[in-house]
Amino acid sequence: MKLLVTGGAGFIGSHFIRFWLRRHPSDEVVNVDQLGYAGSLERLTDVESHSGYRFVRGDICDSDAVHTLMQGVDGVIHFAAQTHVDRSITDASPFLRTNVEGTGVLLRQAHAQAVRRFIHVSTDEVYGPVLDGAVDERAALSPRSPYAASKAAGDMLAQSFFHTYGLGVIVVRPTNIFGPGQLPEKLIPLCLTHAYEGRPIPIYGDGLQRRAWLFVDDLCDALERIMEQGSAGSIYNVASPQERTNLETVRRILQLVDRSTDLIQFVMDRPGHDRRYAMDDRALCLLGWQAKTSFEEGLSSTVKWYWQHAEWWRPIVQALRENPYHWLNRPFGSGSVQTSGAVV
Ligand code: DAU
């Protein structure tokens, strides 16, 4: 089987490539990645010498390049995306370009070359906040950040290619993922790297927003099952029962690394901040999937990894610090933003 992985130098994409090649050593995997700010080939040094692996630097919006890459491909797994909500608040345009236009280019080329399977990796954020209970795949979409809206547009475009052309599209909506090698702009690695350097850890608003965490290997396992057994035209949520407030998550990390909670600094809330996401993933469980890694196990291996790989994240953290989000420049209390009915 020949797979085209988009965004394979990113956090989840790189874990997926490693996972896939370990389990399917005779497959061919082509990784196309633009190597933007979130891409790093250092994540893949251990698979570079695998005979079935090939890296191509390229932009998914480049139709000619995608046309060439798609030749002879049996399945596409599309991770390439702008993924950080805070960035989308500062500037939505890269999100529209990659997540909508780029997805459209891939879909058109996959259709033109009769690719059998197209897995579109989306997000639970397309459902918007879920204050009680959990939503299944039939729930209406209500994205609230430019990031989530761009992903929802990509989802719909992908599904339209199934309905209109019969392309073997499957949309996957994962919960919050964490693990080694995640870019330190996301909450868990941000907290770890700040704790390591003794810097304050910004908690947006009251820190009582809830997120359900899943270890990255469990997502790779879900994606493999979906690739092999999922039905074309379907949507699969990938959920986690491991729900915590952000404050609980940060406090637990500080405890694990033996740092004081005095590092916690409450800052202005993220505009439009979703309080909670929660999904029902019975459709995926029917394929035999079940998460194998507890939050505690995943967190302790993640902590260990960041503690041992400061040389990887230090320059990244430095570069990220040079471009702070404009809306985050004010300390808590100096501005006011309407969030979920409460003024913070
Ligand atoms: O739910 C899936 C989504 O999870 C993915 O689709 C997104 O690509 C991914 O970025 C993630 O979105 P979140 O906004 O939930 O993740 P993030 O790590 O940015 O933030 C997690 C929570 O922590 C969120 O409630 C905001 C809060 N937070 C985040 C940062 C970076 C803080 O309080 N302080 C921070 O400095």
PDB file of all heavy atoms in Angstrom, residues 30-65:
ATOM      1  N   VAL A  30       4.783   8.407   1.791  1.00  0.00           N
ATOM      2  CA  VAL A  30       5.344   9.661   1.306  1.00  0.00           C
ATOM      3  C   VAL A  30       4.825  10.763   2.220  1.00  0.00           C
ATOM      4  O   VAL A  30       3.621  10.906   2.426  1.00  0.00           O
ATOM      5  CB  VAL A  30       4.918   9.951  -0.158  1.00  0.00           C
ATOM      6  CG1 VAL A  30       5.482  11.291  -0.621  1.00  0.00           C
ATOM      7  CG2 VAL A  30       5.377   8.827  -1.072  1.00  0.00           C
ATOM      8  N   ASN A  31       5.760  11.507   2.779  1.00  0.00           N
ATOM      9  CA  ASN A  31       5.417  12.587   3.707  1.00  0.00           C
ATOM     10  C   ASN A  31       5.600  13.915   2.990  1.00  0.00           C
ATOM     11  O   ASN A  31       6.708  14.279   2.628  1.00  0.00           O
ATOM     12  CB  ASN A  31       6.361  12.476   4.920  1.00  0.00           C
ATOM     13  CG  ASN A  31       6.286  13.689   5.835  1.00  0.00           C
ATOM     14  OD1 ASN A  31       5.357  14.486   5.753  1.00  0.00           O
ATOM     15  ND2 ASN A  31       7.275  13.815   6.723  1.00  0.00           N
ATOM     16  N   VAL A  32       4.503  14.642   2.788  1.00  0.00           N
ATOM     17  CA  VAL A  32       4.645  15.987   2.209  1.00  0.00           C
ATOM     18  C   VAL A  32       4.385  17.010   3.308  1.00  0.00           C
ATOM     19  O   VAL A  32       3.366  16.967   3.987  1.00  0.00           O
ATOM     20  CB  VAL A  32       3.721  16.219   0.977  1.00  0.00           C
ATOM     21  CG1 VAL A  32       2.261  15.996   1.293  1.00  0.00           C
ATOM     22  CG2 VAL A  32       3.925  17.628   0.423  1.00  0.00           C
ATOM     23  N   ASP A  33       5.367  17.889   3.463  1.00  0.00           N
ATOM     24  CA  ASP A  33       5.247  18.902   4.512  1.00  0.00           C
ATOM     25  C   ASP A  33       5.962  20.155   4.034  1.00  0.00           C
ATOM     26  O   ASP A  33       7.026  20.084   3.430  1.00  0.00           O
ATOM     27  CB  ASP A  33       5.880  18.378   5.811  1.00  0.00           C
ATOM     28  CG  ASP A  33       5.448  19.168   7.027  1.00  0.00           C
ATOM     29  OD1 ASP A  33       5.694  20.396   7.074  1.00  0.00           O
ATOM     30  OD2 ASP A  33       4.851  18.566   7.934  1.00  0.00           O
ATOM     31  N   GLN A  34       5.353  21.271   4.351  1.00  0.00           N
ATOM     32  CA  GLN A  34       5.894  22.557   3.916  1.00  0.00           C
ATOM     33  C   GLN A  34       7.064  22.988   4.812  1.00  0.00           C
ATOM     34  O   GLN A  34       7.803  23.900   4.491  1.00  0.00           O
ATOM     35  CB  GLN A  34       4.756  23.573   4.034  1.00  0.00           C
ATOM     36  CG  GLN A  34       4.976  24.870   3.382  1.00  0.00           C
ATOM     37  CD  GLN A  34       3.845  25.825   3.709  1.00  0.00           C
ATOM     38  OE1 GLN A  34       3.024  25.596   4.602  1.00  0.00           O
ATOM     39  NE2 GLN A  34       3.788  26.920   2.984  1.00  0.00           N
ATOM     40  N   LEU A  35       7.171  22.351   5.977  1.00  0.00           N
ATOM     41  CA  LEU A  35       8.132  22.746   7.024  1.00  0.00           C
ATOM     42  C   LEU A  35       7.910  24.208   7.410  1.00  0.00           C
ATOM     43  O   LEU A  35       8.832  25.023   7.384  1.00  0.00           O
ATOM     44  CB  LEU A  35       9.581  22.478   6.596  1.00  0.00           C
ATOM     45  CG  LEU A  35       9.922  21.013   6.319  1.00  0.00           C
ATOM     46  CD1 LEU A  35      11.394  20.840   5.961  1.00  0.00           C
ATOM     47  CD2 LEU A  35       9.584  20.122   7.529  1.00  0.00           C
ATOM     48  N   GLY A  36       6.679  24.507   7.762  1.00  0.00           N
ATOM     49  CA  GLY A  36       6.350  25.825   8.307  1.00  0.00           C
ATOM     50  C   GLY A  36       6.799  25.883   9.763  1.00  0.00           C
ATOM     51  O   GLY A  36       7.568  25.033  10.216  1.00  0.00           O
ATOM     52  N   TYR A  37       6.282  26.850  10.499  1.00  0.00           N
ATOM     53  CA  TYR A  37       6.799  27.056  11.856  1.00  0.00           C
ATOM     54  C   TYR A  37       6.601  25.844  12.767  1.00  0.00           C
ATOM     55  O   TYR A  37       7.344  25.645  13.723  1.00  0.00           O
ATOM     56  CB  TYR A  37       6.156  28.317  12.470  1.00  0.00           C
ATOM     57  CG  TYR A  37       4.809  28.040  13.115  1.00  0.00           C
ATOM     58  CD1 TYR A  37       4.708  27.797  14.481  1.00  0.00           C
ATOM     59  CD2 TYR A  37       3.630  27.993  12.357  1.00  0.00           C
ATOM     60  CE1 TYR A  37       3.479  27.511  15.071  1.00  0.00           C
ATOM     61  CE2 TYR A  37       2.427  27.708  12.930  1.00  0.00           C
ATOM     62  CZ  TYR A  37       2.351  27.475  14.290  1.00  0.00           C
ATOM     63  OH  TYR A  37       1.143  27.185  14.867  1.00  0.00           O
ATOM     64  N   ALA A  38       5.601  25.002  12.464  1.00  0.00           N
ATOM     65  CA  ALA A  38       5.302  23.874  13.354  1.00  0.00           C
ATOM     66  C   ALA A  38       5.899  22.550  12.880  1.00  0.00           C
ATOM     67  O   ALA A  38       5.794  21.544  13.571  1.00  0.00           O
ATOM     68  CB  ALA A  38       3.786  23.727  13.506  1.00  0.00           C
ATOM     69  N   GLY A  39       6.524  22.559  11.715  1.00  0.00           N
ATOM     70  CA  GLY A  39       7.073  21.309  11.168  1.00  0.00           C
ATOM     71  C   GLY A  39       8.539  21.151  11.529  1.00  0.00           C
ATOM     72  O   GLY A  39       9.294  22.123  11.516  1.00  0.00           O
ATOM     73  N   SER A  40       8.945  19.925  11.846  1.00  0.00           N
ATOM     74  CA  SER A  40      10.348  19.688  12.183  1.00  0.00           C
ATOM     75  C   SER A  40      10.723  18.261  11.785  1.00  0.00           C
ATOM     76  O   SER A  40      10.153  17.301  12.308  1.00  0.00           O
ATOM     77  CB  SER A  40      10.552  19.903  13.685  1.00  0.00           C
ATOM     78  OG  SER A  40      11.726  19.306  14.133  1.00  0.00           O
ATOM     79  N   LEU A  41      11.702  18.165  10.883  1.00  0.00           N
ATOM     80  CA  LEU A  41      12.133  16.824  10.450  1.00  0.00           C
ATOM     81  C   LEU A  41      12.892  16.095  11.550  1.00  0.00           C
ATOM     82  O   LEU A  41      13.052  14.886  11.502  1.00  0.00           O
ATOM     83  CB  LEU A  41      12.992  16.926   9.193  1.00  0.00           C
ATOM     84  CG  LEU A  41      12.209  17.255   7.915  1.00  0.00           C
ATOM     85  CD1 LEU A  41      13.157  17.389   6.730  1.00  0.00           C
ATOM     86  CD2 LEU A  41      11.143  16.194   7.613  1.00  0.00           C
ATOM     87  N   GLU A  42      13.301  16.846  12.558  1.00  0.00           N
ATOM     88  CA  GLU A  42      13.976  16.188  13.690  1.00  0.00           C
ATOM     89  C   GLU A  42      13.052  15.191  14.382  1.00  0.00           C
ATOM     90  O   GLU A  42      13.505  14.312  15.095  1.00  0.00           O
ATOM     91  CB  GLU A  42      14.444  17.225  14.695  1.00  0.00           C
ATOM     92  CG  GLU A  42      15.682  17.965  14.246  1.00  0.00           C
ATOM     93  CD  GLU A  42      16.053  19.053  15.222  1.00  0.00           C
ATOM     94  OE1 GLU A  42      16.210  18.756  16.408  1.00  0.00           O
ATOM     95  OE2 GLU A  42      16.134  20.211  14.778  1.00  0.00           O
ATOM     96  N   ARG A  43      11.768  15.389  14.191  1.00  0.00           N
ATOM     97  CA  ARG A  43      10.823  14.435  14.790  1.00  0.00           C
ATOM     98  C   ARG A  43      10.894  13.058  14.114  1.00  0.00           C
ATOM     99  O   ARG A  43      10.335  12.103  14.625  1.00  0.00           O
ATOM    100  CB  ARG A  43       9.381  14.950  14.636  1.00  0.00           C
ATOM    101  CG  ARG A  43       9.061  16.196  15.445  1.00  0.00           C
ATOM    102  CD  ARG A  43       7.569  16.473  15.333  1.00  0.00           C
ATOM    103  NE  ARG A  43       7.128  17.536  16.187  1.00  0.00           N
ATOM    104  CZ  ARG A  43       6.755  18.754  15.772  1.00  0.00           C
ATOM    105  NH1 ARG A  43       6.785  19.049  14.493  1.00  0.00           N
ATOM    106  NH2 ARG A  43       6.347  19.650  16.643  1.00  0.00           N
ATOM    107  N   LEU A  44      11.532  13.016  12.943  1.00  0.00           N
ATOM    108  CA  LEU A  44      11.489  11.788  12.137  1.00  0.00           C
ATOM    109  C   LEU A  44      12.846  11.161  11.888  1.00  0.00           C
ATOM    110  O   LEU A  44      12.967  10.304  11.016  1.00  0.00           O
ATOM    111  CB  LEU A  44      10.804  12.097  10.797  1.00  0.00           C
ATOM    112  CG  LEU A  44       9.304  12.321  10.904  1.00  0.00           C
ATOM    113  CD1 LEU A  44       8.782  13.096   9.706  1.00  0.00           C
ATOM    114  CD2 LEU A  44       8.564  10.995  11.022  1.00  0.00           C
ATOM    115  N   THR A  45      13.853  11.579  12.634  1.00  0.00           N
ATOM    116  CA  THR A  45      15.207  11.076  12.342  1.00  0.00           C
ATOM    117  C   THR A  45      15.260   9.547  12.404  1.00  0.00           C
ATOM    118  O   THR A  45      15.978   8.923  11.625  1.00  0.00           O
ATOM    119  CB  THR A  45      16.256  11.675  13.303  1.00  0.00           C
ATOM    120  OG1 THR A  45      15.698  11.643  14.599  1.00  0.00           O
ATOM    121  CG2 THR A  45      16.617  13.098  12.937  1.00  0.00           C
ATOM    122  N   ASP A  46      14.469   8.945  13.274  1.00  0.00           N
ATOM    123  CA  ASP A  46      14.525   7.479  13.398  1.00  0.00           C
ATOM    124  C   ASP A  46      13.851   6.740  12.235  1.00  0.00           C
ATOM    125  O   ASP A  46      14.044   5.541  12.098  1.00  0.00           O
ATOM    126  CB  ASP A  46      13.923   7.026  14.741  1.00  0.00           C
ATOM    127  CG  ASP A  46      12.519   7.544  14.940  1.00  0.00           C
ATOM    128  OD1 ASP A  46      12.189   8.609  14.378  1.00  0.00           O
ATOM    129  OD2 ASP A  46      11.727   6.882  15.638  1.00  0.00           O
ATOM    130  N   VAL A  47      13.072   7.413  11.409  1.00  0.00           N
ATOM    131  CA  VAL A  47      12.455   6.688  10.281  1.00  0.00           C
ATOM    132  C   VAL A  47      13.091   7.053   8.937  1.00  0.00           C
ATOM    133  O   VAL A  47      12.814   6.412   7.922  1.00  0.00           O
ATOM    134  CB  VAL A  47      10.916   6.896  10.178  1.00  0.00           C
ATOM    135  CG1 VAL A  47      10.224   6.439  11.434  1.00  0.00           C
ATOM    136  CG2 VAL A  47      10.554   8.311   9.838  1.00  0.00           C
ATOM    137  N   GLU A  48      13.967   8.052   8.966  1.00  0.00           N
ATOM    138  CA  GLU A  48      14.591   8.538   7.720  1.00  0.00           C
ATOM    139  C   GLU A  48      15.195   7.422   6.864  1.00  0.00           C
ATOM    140  O   GLU A  48      15.141   7.459   5.642  1.00  0.00           O
ATOM    141  CB  GLU A  48      15.744   9.479   8.071  1.00  0.00           C
ATOM    142  CG  GLU A  48      15.413  10.915   8.001  1.00  0.00           C
ATOM    143  CD  GLU A  48      16.506  11.750   8.653  1.00  0.00           C
ATOM    144  OE1 GLU A  48      17.590  11.215   8.945  1.00  0.00           O
ATOM    145  OE2 GLU A  48      16.227  12.939   8.873  1.00  0.00           O
ATOM    146  N   SER A  49      15.782   6.436   7.526  1.00  0.00           N
ATOM    147  CA  SER A  49      16.495   5.399   6.769  1.00  0.00           C
ATOM    148  C   SER A  49      15.590   4.225   6.383  1.00  0.00           C
ATOM    149  O   SER A  49      16.045   3.278   5.742  1.00  0.00           O
ATOM    150  CB  SER A  49      17.674   4.881   7.590  1.00  0.00           C
ATOM    151  OG  SER A  49      17.153   4.392   8.810  1.00  0.00           O
ATOM    152  N   HIS A  50      14.317   4.300   6.739  1.00  0.00           N
ATOM    153  CA  HIS A  50      13.386   3.220   6.364  1.00  0.00           C
ATOM    154  C   HIS A  50      13.214   3.231   4.843  1.00  0.00           C
ATOM    155  O   HIS A  50      12.946   4.280   4.250  1.00  0.00           O
ATOM    156  CB  HIS A  50      12.045   3.443   7.070  1.00  0.00           C
ATOM    157  CG  HIS A  50      11.130   2.271   6.983  1.00  0.00           C
ATOM    158  ND1 HIS A  50      10.528   1.889   5.815  1.00  0.00           N
ATOM    159  CD2 HIS A  50      10.738   1.378   7.911  1.00  0.00           C
ATOM    160  CE1 HIS A  50       9.790   0.817   6.037  1.00  0.00           C
ATOM    161  NE2 HIS A  50       9.907   0.490   7.307  1.00  0.00           N
ATOM    162  N   SER A  51      13.338   2.053   4.223  1.00  0.00           N
ATOM    163  CA  SER A  51      13.321   2.019   2.756  1.00  0.00           C
ATOM    164  C   SER A  51      11.978   2.469   2.172  1.00  0.00           C
ATOM    165  O   SER A  51      11.913   2.953   1.039  1.00  0.00           O
ATOM    166  CB  SER A  51      13.654   0.611   2.274  1.00  0.00           C
ATOM    167  OG  SER A  51      12.721  -0.278   2.842  1.00  0.00           O
ATOM    168  N   GLY A  52      10.884   2.347   2.943  1.00  0.00           N
ATOM    169  CA  GLY A  52       9.578   2.727   2.406  1.00  0.00           C
ATOM    170  C   GLY A  52       9.222   4.184   2.634  1.00  0.00           C
ATOM    171  O   GLY A  52       8.153   4.639   2.214  1.00  0.00           O
ATOM    172  N   TYR A  53      10.104   4.937   3.299  1.00  0.00           N
ATOM    173  CA  TYR A  53       9.751   6.316   3.671  1.00  0.00           C
ATOM    174  C   TYR A  53      10.413   7.329   2.737  1.00  0.00           C
ATOM    175  O   TYR A  53      11.577   7.204   2.383  1.00  0.00           O
ATOM    176  CB  TYR A  53      10.211   6.578   5.109  1.00  0.00           C
ATOM    177  CG  TYR A  53      10.095   8.031   5.521  1.00  0.00           C
ATOM    178  CD1 TYR A  53       8.856   8.597   5.777  1.00  0.00           C
ATOM    179  CD2 TYR A  53      11.235   8.838   5.630  1.00  0.00           C
ATOM    180  CE1 TYR A  53       8.753   9.939   6.142  1.00  0.00           C
ATOM    181  CE2 TYR A  53      11.138  10.179   5.991  1.00  0.00           C
ATOM    182  CZ  TYR A  53       9.895  10.724   6.249  1.00  0.00           C
ATOM    183  OH  TYR A  53       9.784  12.037   6.600  1.00  0.00           O
ATOM    184  N   ARG A  54       9.630   8.345   2.364  1.00  0.00           N
ATOM    185  CA  ARG A  54      10.186   9.411   1.517  1.00  0.00           C
ATOM    186  C   ARG A  54       9.605  10.758   1.955  1.00  0.00           C
ATOM    187  O   ARG A  54       8.382  10.850   2.194  1.00  0.00           O
ATOM    188  CB  ARG A  54       9.820   9.143   0.053  1.00  0.00           C
ATOM    189  CG  ARG A  54      10.468  10.120  -0.917  1.00  0.00           C
ATOM    190  CD  ARG A  54      10.503   9.529  -2.324  1.00  0.00           C
ATOM    191  NE  ARG A  54       9.162   9.365  -2.897  1.00  0.00           N
ATOM    192  CZ  ARG A  54       8.550  10.256  -3.678  1.00  0.00           C
ATOM    193  NH1 ARG A  54       9.153  11.386  -3.990  1.00  0.00           N
ATOM    194  NH2 ARG A  54       7.348  10.013  -4.167  1.00  0.00           N
ATOM    195  N   PHE A  55      10.468  11.748   2.081  1.00  0.00           N
ATOM    196  CA  PHE A  55       9.992  13.087   2.441  1.00  0.00           C
ATOM    197  C   PHE A  55      10.061  14.008   1.233  1.00  0.00           C
ATOM    198  O   PHE A  55      11.043  14.000   0.496  1.00  0.00           O
ATOM    199  CB  PHE A  55      10.851  13.684   3.571  1.00  0.00           C
ATOM    200  CG  PHE A  55      10.554  15.137   3.794  1.00  0.00           C
ATOM    201  CD1 PHE A  55       9.343  15.533   4.351  1.00  0.00           C
ATOM    202  CD2 PHE A  55      11.457  16.127   3.402  1.00  0.00           C
ATOM    203  CE1 PHE A  55       9.034  16.876   4.529  1.00  0.00           C
ATOM    204  CE2 PHE A  55      11.154  17.482   3.571  1.00  0.00           C
ATOM    205  CZ  PHE A  55       9.944  17.848   4.148  1.00  0.00           C
ATOM    206  N   VAL A  56       9.001  14.790   1.035  1.00  0.00           N
ATOM    207  CA  VAL A  56       9.011  15.787  -0.030  1.00  0.00           C
ATOM    208  C   VAL A  56       8.566  17.111   0.586  1.00  0.00           C
ATOM    209  O   VAL A  56       7.501  17.191   1.214  1.00  0.00           O
ATOM    210  CB  VAL A  56       8.016  15.416  -1.160  1.00  0.00           C
ATOM    211  CG1 VAL A  56       8.005  16.489  -2.246  1.00  0.00           C
ATOM    212  CG2 VAL A  56       8.357  14.066  -1.756  1.00  0.00           C
ATOM    213  N   ARG A  57       9.389  18.130   0.424  1.00  0.00           N
ATOM    214  CA  ARG A  57       8.973  19.435   0.930  1.00  0.00           C
ATOM    215  C   ARG A  57       8.007  20.042  -0.068  1.00  0.00           C
ATOM    216  O   ARG A  57       8.330  20.166  -1.253  1.00  0.00           O
ATOM    217  CB  ARG A  57      10.187  20.340   1.122  1.00  0.00           C
ATOM    218  CG  ARG A  57       9.813  21.624   1.788  1.00  0.00           C
ATOM    219  CD  ARG A  57      11.018  22.421   2.216  1.00  0.00           C
ATOM    220  NE  ARG A  57      10.578  23.525   3.052  1.00  0.00           N
ATOM    221  CZ  ARG A  57      11.394  24.332   3.676  1.00  0.00           C
ATOM    222  NH1 ARG A  57      12.687  24.165   3.594  1.00  0.00           N
ATOM    223  NH2 ARG A  57      10.911  25.324   4.418  1.00  0.00           N
ATOM    224  N   GLY A  58       6.827  20.373   0.368  1.00  0.00           N
ATOM    225  CA  GLY A  58       5.856  20.908  -0.583  1.00  0.00           C
ATOM    226  C   GLY A  58       4.654  21.505   0.118  1.00  0.00           C
ATOM    227  O   GLY A  58       4.402  21.251   1.299  1.00  0.00           O
ATOM    228  N   ASP A  59       3.930  22.297  -0.661  1.00  0.00           N
ATOM    229  CA  ASP A  59       2.777  23.035  -0.142  1.00  0.00           C
ATOM    230  C   ASP A  59       1.511  22.363  -0.682  1.00  0.00           C
ATOM    231  O   ASP A  59       1.384  22.180  -1.899  1.00  0.00           O
ATOM    232  CB  ASP A  59       2.905  24.478  -0.668  1.00  0.00           C
ATOM    233  CG  ASP A  59       1.759  25.366  -0.257  1.00  0.00           C
ATOM    234  OD1 ASP A  59       0.810  24.870   0.399  1.00  0.00           O
ATOM    235  OD2 ASP A  59       1.803  26.565  -0.606  1.00  0.00           O
ATOM    236  N   ILE A  60       0.589  22.026   0.183  1.00  0.00           N
ATOM    237  CA  ILE A  60      -0.629  21.338  -0.295  1.00  0.00           C
ATOM    238  C   ILE A  60      -1.518  22.252  -1.143  1.00  0.00           C
ATOM    239  O   ILE A  60      -2.452  21.782  -1.789  1.00  0.00           O
ATOM    240  CB  ILE A  60      -1.445  20.714   0.866  1.00  0.00           C
ATOM    241  CG1 ILE A  60      -1.857  21.769   1.897  1.00  0.00           C
ATOM    242  CG2 ILE A  60      -0.673  19.565   1.508  1.00  0.00           C
ATOM    243  CD1 ILE A  60      -2.944  21.302   2.850  1.00  0.00           C
ATOM    244  N   CYS A  61      -1.232  23.549  -1.143  1.00  0.00           N
ATOM    245  CA  CYS A  61      -2.019  24.444  -2.007  1.00  0.00           C
ATOM    246  C   CYS A  61      -1.478  24.457  -3.434  1.00  0.00           C
ATOM    247  O   CYS A  61      -2.089  25.052  -4.328  1.00  0.00           O
ATOM    248  CB  CYS A  61      -1.997  25.873  -1.450  1.00  0.00           C
ATOM    249  SG  CYS A  61      -2.852  25.998   0.121  1.00  0.00           S
ATOM    250  N   ASP A  62      -0.340  23.819  -3.635  1.00  0.00           N
ATOM    251  CA  ASP A  62       0.279  23.796  -4.958  1.00  0.00           C
ATOM    252  C   ASP A  62      -0.267  22.584  -5.733  1.00  0.00           C
ATOM    253  O   ASP A  62       0.159  21.451  -5.567  1.00  0.00           O
ATOM    254  CB  ASP A  62       1.810  23.702  -4.764  1.00  0.00           C
ATOM    255  CG  ASP A  62       2.573  23.612  -6.072  1.00  0.00           C
ATOM    256  OD1 ASP A  62       1.960  23.324  -7.122  1.00  0.00           O
ATOM    257  OD2 ASP A  62       3.797  23.805  -6.038  1.00  0.00           O
ATOM    258  N   SER A  63      -1.219  22.874  -6.601  1.00  0.00           N
ATOM    259  CA  SER A  63      -1.949  21.827  -7.303  1.00  0.00           C
ATOM    260  C   SER A  63      -1.034  20.922  -8.150  1.00  0.00           C
ATOM    261  O   SER A  63      -1.214  19.698  -8.168  1.00  0.00           O
ATOM    262  CB  SER A  63      -2.971  22.522  -8.199  1.00  0.00           C
ATOM    263  OG  SER A  63      -3.972  21.649  -8.502  1.00  0.00           O
ATOM    264  N   ASP A  64      -0.037  21.518  -8.825  1.00  0.00           N
ATOM    265  CA  ASP A  64       0.848  20.705  -9.673  1.00  0.00           C
ATOM    266  C   ASP A  64       1.671  19.743  -8.820  1.00  0.00           C
ATOM    267  O   ASP A  64       1.825  18.566  -9.158  1.00  0.00           O
ATOM    268  CB  ASP A  64       1.806  21.598 -10.482  1.00  0.00           C
ATOM    269  CG  ASP A  64       1.034  22.406 -11.513  1.00  0.00           C
ATOM    270  OD1 ASP A  64      -0.091  21.990 -11.857  1.00  0.00           O
ATOM    271  OD2 ASP A  64       1.559  23.453 -11.953  1.00  0.00           O
ATOM    272  N   ALA A  65       2.188  20.270  -7.716  1.00  0.00           N
ATOM    273  CA  ALA A  65       2.990  19.415  -6.826  1.00  0.00           C
ATOM    274  C   ALA A  65       2.125  18.288  -6.269  1.00  0.00           C
ATOM    275  O   ALA A  65       2.533  17.118  -6.245  1.00  0.00           O
ATOM    276  CB  ALA A  65       3.575  20.245  -5.687  1.00  0.00           C
TER     277      ALA A  65
END
